[in-house]
Amino acid sequence: MSFTIENIPDQTGRNFIVTGANAGLGYETALALAKKNATVILACRSESRAQGAKEKILKAVPQANLHIQLIDLTDLESVKRFAGNFQSNFDKLDVLINNAGVMVPPYIQTKDGFELQMGANYFGHFLLTGLLMDILKQTENSRIVTLSSLAHLQGTINFEDLHWEKSYSKLKAYQQSKLACLIFTLELQRRLEAAKAGPISVAAHPGVSPTELVRYVPNLMVYLLTPMFLLISHKPAKGALPTLMAAVQNGVQGGDYYGPTGYNEMKGKPGTAKIASHAKDEEIAQRLWAISEDLTGFSYTF
């Protein structure tokens, strides 16, 4: 039987954090979970946009149990505040969904000196996951779901210029950030297994889906490519299914990766996705992990 929102089991009593829950894939993920009676923490940067998403979900699901908590993944201090606030208000975390992201923006450095895509897509989530590890470990059958992308297939980790200060390619920087997310997923699972810790670490990608991620793509390019894009893409509600599968499907194993199963994984029913061989390189993973702990100022304990 194919995985659909309809056959997601009841999630009453389970707590989910969804970063970037105010739009696109994050919104559709939060909406689907709300329909199944989950407690959903809308982890968003903007109070007004989070409130708008909450009101929209409540119109569709009047009984939805939703909580807004602000987080700016490009600011490590904001990530720390979010983690502290969450643990003050909740005593368990069943699933952390590291969904928020940005794609091909102009060159910007975050407050902490990271290239924006690497900061928002990867470093912020690396720190957030680490800060929430204790509560995840205390919660039976907990999961960490991190969003990667088809872009990881062409990605490399530019260790010599991780923040693109020498020269900037917005596309290569995006590919790097999404490769980093998948490398992190797999390395985190290896470390959880070695520590015999309870949570599992899995990843998902949406295929090709028209979300707010394309806001930095030039309008002319969007106009010219729209006919082709419609052929190879699917709506965000469909693009969110691999994330939901990773988050709630029975039988999910640590290190699994889910995405659409149609042509080149661009759209289609959710299922197992292809992991590029360079994402499985343990030497690269260990090097990236060490740098990530150093740059975020946070060391994981299992």
Side-chain angles (χ1 to χ4, degrees):
M1 182 170 66
S2 62
F3 179 87
T4 64
I5 290 172
E6 288 68 35
N7 60 33
I8 293 174
D10 183 74
Q11 300 295 311
T12 298
R14 305 191 77 220
N15 297 341
F16 292 75
I17 291 174
V18 183
T19 65
N22 57 278
L25 299 168
Y27 172 81
E28 295 295 344
T29 300
L31 174 62
L33 292 169
K35 286 178 177 177
K36 296 297 176 175
N37 303 311
T39 297
V40 186
I41 292 83
L42 309 175
C44 307
R45 188 174 58 176
S46 162
E47 175 89 47
S48 61
R49 299 192 71 196
Q51 194 62 47
K54 180 179 179 179
E55 290 169 7
K56 194 175 169 187
I57 292 172
L58 285 170
K59 280 184 182 175
V61 191
Q63 79 281 7
N65 189 356
L66 306 172
H67 302 263
I68 292 172
Q69 244 192 256
L70 297 184
I71 184 170
D72 182 351
L73 287 154
T74 69
D75 180 351
L76 298 182
E77 287 304 315
S78 174
V79 175
K80 292 172 187 175
R81 282 195 300 273
F82 175 92
N85 290 337
F86 177 81
Q87 289 170 106
S88 295
N89 291 302
F90 296 90
D91 59 5
K92 66 175 196 144
L93 175 57
D94 295 274
V95 185
L96 168 62
I97 300 179
N98 291 322
N99 163 83
V102 62
M103 184 174 80
V104 297
Y107 186 75
I108 301 168
Q109 277 198 349
T110 71
K111 185 177 177 182
D112 302 288
F114 309 145
E115 183 274 322
L116 180 62
Q117 296 176 94
M118 197 67 166
N121 300 354
Y122 172 65
F123 284 120
H125 285 126
F126 177 90
L127 177 61
L128 177 64
T129 304
L131 291 168
L132 294 173
M133 187 55 63
D134 283 347
I135 196 167
L136 284 159
K137 283 162 58 180
Q138 292 162 18
T139 308
E140 193 173 353
N141 298 319
S142 62
R143 299 181 187 181
I144 301 112
V145 180
T146 302
L147 271 285
S148 185
S149 163
L150 286 169
H152 94 272
L153 296 168
Q154 289 80 41
T156 57
I157 304 299
N158 183 8
F159 286 113
E160 307 315 310
D161 187 18
L162 200 61
H163 307 301
W164 302 89
E165 292 167 306
K166 296 175 185 172
S167 65
Y168 180 54
S169 163
K170 59 180 71 173
L171 179 58
K172 287 182 179 178
Y174 179 69
Q175 292 167 343
Q176 171 180 263
S177 73
K178 285 303 182 177
L179 173 60
C181 288
L182 191 49
I183 289 172
F184 166 66
T185 296
L186 301 177
E187 180 63 16
L188 177 58
Q189 179 59 29
R190 285 189 284 267
R191 290 175 184 240
L192 287 166
E193 286 178 5
K196 295 183 169 55
I200 61 169
S201 171
V202 296
H205 80 84
V208 179
S209 187
T211 71
E212 286 200 355
L213 275 181
V214 300
R215 65 184 175 274
Y216 291 112
V217 178
N219 289 337
L220 177 62
M221 188 176 293
V222 171
Y223 175 77
L224 293 173
L225 294 177
T226 291
M228 182 184 75
F229 191 74
L230 291 173
L231 287 174
I232 64 171
S233 68
H234 54 184
K235 292 181 179 178
K238 296 281 189 186
L241 287 176
T243 300
L244 290 161
M245 181 180 244
V248 302
Q249 174 90 320
N250 291 330
V252 170
Q253 302 290 313
D256 284 354
Y257 183 40
Y258 295 95
T261 56
Y263 179 70
N264 281 349
E265 297 183 11
M266 291 188 287
K267 63 179 183 177
K269 295 177 181 177
T272 302
K274 177 187 175 184
I275 301 175
S277 58
H278 54 272
K280 302 175 187 175
D281 188 313
E282 293 188 31
E283 190 175 322
I284 290 174
Q286 288 164 18
R287 186 178 178 189
L288 179 62
W289 189 282
I291 288 170
S292 301
E293 289 195 331
D294 181 52
L295 291 177
T296 61
F298 180 83
S299 294
Y300 273 64
T301 54
F302 295 96

